[in-house]
Amino acid sequence: AQSVTQLDSHVSVSEGTPVLLRCNYSSSYSPSLFWYVQHPNKGLQLLLKYTSAATLVKGINGFEAEFKKSETSFHLTKPSAHMSDAAEYFCVVSPRNNYGQNFVFGPGTRLSVLP
Amino acid sequence: DTAVSQTPKYLVTQMGNDKSIKCEQNLGHDTMYWYKQDSKKFLKIMFSYNNKELIINETVPNRFSPKSPDKAHLNLHINSLELGDSAVYFCASSQVPGGGQFNTGELFFGEGSRLTVL
């Protein structure tokens, strides 16, 4: 079985300061991992994904995440927050197996960016 | 050209009514999904179809019935609507990329359909 824990339901940072959104997962198989962002009243957009290549993954808008198997973590970071980063962020796990794709979402972390 | 499109975007209806939400994807993907997002933003999978075949059917009341006329379309019909059905429903699609069955493609989402049951 797969599950995702996002350790913070809400993170608040000042504009220009670093962002850290934490994600831990469990998976019966080697996982693919994703981060999605959802702006208010919008659909979900892929920020980045890990599928077994480099463990440090770079995404859009300056975000990156590092896959750490020993810690079962996939934390999302950005060096400098922008006001437009304020949104809901979801960590997602999908097992890489032959039973079809099944994406399990974490509960989400709301990022607020203060001026 | 929108990759995954859902209609309607907003739906307000009375308890007991029947309603449908339509979804179409023009990405050529072979798998489509319905997700429900509740008021706390939690996303839960409801159904998944692969090439018109149902492959994931989570614990969802049988008032909800998905229909996939072809692999580009996945519609959701809801009978006898209840207050608790109020939510945002997202359609999504994905495709296993080349390189073997152990790769995972990402999900592409529609803009969502906000259902309000009064």
Side-chain angles (χ1 to χ4, degrees):
Chain A
Q2 286 65 239
S3 67
V4 179
T5 303
Q6 291 182 245
L7 296 155
D8 305 296
S9 59
H10 183 211
V11 170
S12 187
V13 301
S14 297
E15 191 174 22
T17 63
V19 175
L20 169 64
L21 304 183
R22 296 181 293 169
C23 171
N24 288 88
Y25 69 91
S26 72
S27 179
S28 306
Y29 299 88
S30 295
S32 289
L33 293 155
F34 309 81
W35 276 98
Y36 281 83
V37 61
Q38 184 181 25
H39 288 94
N41 298 313
K42 294 289 186 184
L44 284 85
Q45 179 185 20
L46 180 70
L47 276 178
L48 49 81
K49 69 177 182 179
Y50 164 79
T51 56
S52 83
T55 56
L56 182 62
V57 182
K58 293 189 185 300
I60 62 171
N61 301 333
F63 284 95
E64 61 181 40
E66 186 171 8
F67 172 68
K68 291 188 177 180
K69 185 176 179 180
S70 60
E71 298 176 11
T72 60
S73 69
F74 190 57
H75 301 333
L76 182 71
T77 60
K78 182 173 180 177
S80 176
H82 191 272
M83 295 295 288
S84 61
D85 295 328
E88 193 85 21
Y89 291 79
F90 295 94
C91 183
V92 183
V93 65
S94 180
R96 280 183 281 122
N97 59 36
N98 59 351
Y99 296 115
Q101 300 189 115
N102 183 9
F103 297 84
V104 176
F105 280 72
T109 297
R110 182 164 60 94
L111 177 64
S112 298
V113 182
L114 308 173
Chain B
D1 210 16
T2 306
V4 181
S5 58
Q6 310 178 216
T7 54
K9 189 166 182 176
Y10 298 98
L11 194 49
V12 181
T13 188
Q14 300 286 332
M15 269 198 321
N17 284 349
D18 303 339
K19 290 294 177 187
S20 292
I21 307 172
K22 295 186 176 182
C23 179
E24 176 182 5
Q25 54 96 2
N26 62 8
L27 297 166
H29 289 169
D30 60 7
T31 307
M32 296 185 72
Y33 310 76
W34 278 110
Y35 281 85
K36 179 181 180 181
Q37 186 173 46
D38 62 24
S39 57
K40 295 184 178 177
K41 303 289 187 184
F42 190 74
L43 275 150
K44 186 168 166 38
I45 190 165
M46 300 174 69
F47 303 103
S48 172
Y49 270 75
N50 179 270
N51 280 320
K52 302 193 299 174
E53 182 183 343
L54 181 66
I55 55 171
I56 294 175
N57 183 359
E58 291 297 307
T59 307
V60 174
N62 58 15
R63 298 181 295 103
F64 290 79
S65 52
K67 282 197 171 45
S68 182
D70 55 59
K71 75 172 195 176
H73 296 84
L74 180 61
N75 304 323
L76 183 66
H77 187 76
I78 315 169
N79 289 327
S80 304
L81 278 156
E82 300 178 358
L83 293 175
D85 298 332
S86 295
V88 181
Y89 293 85
F90 284 99
C91 178
S93 70
S94 71
Q95 176 75 31
V96 175
Q101 62 191 358
F102 295 102
N103 283 330
T104 305
E106 65 263 34
L107 285 166
F108 290 78
F109 281 89
E111 291 274 293
S113 298
R114 182 176 294 274
L115 172 64
T116 303
V117 182
L118 304 175

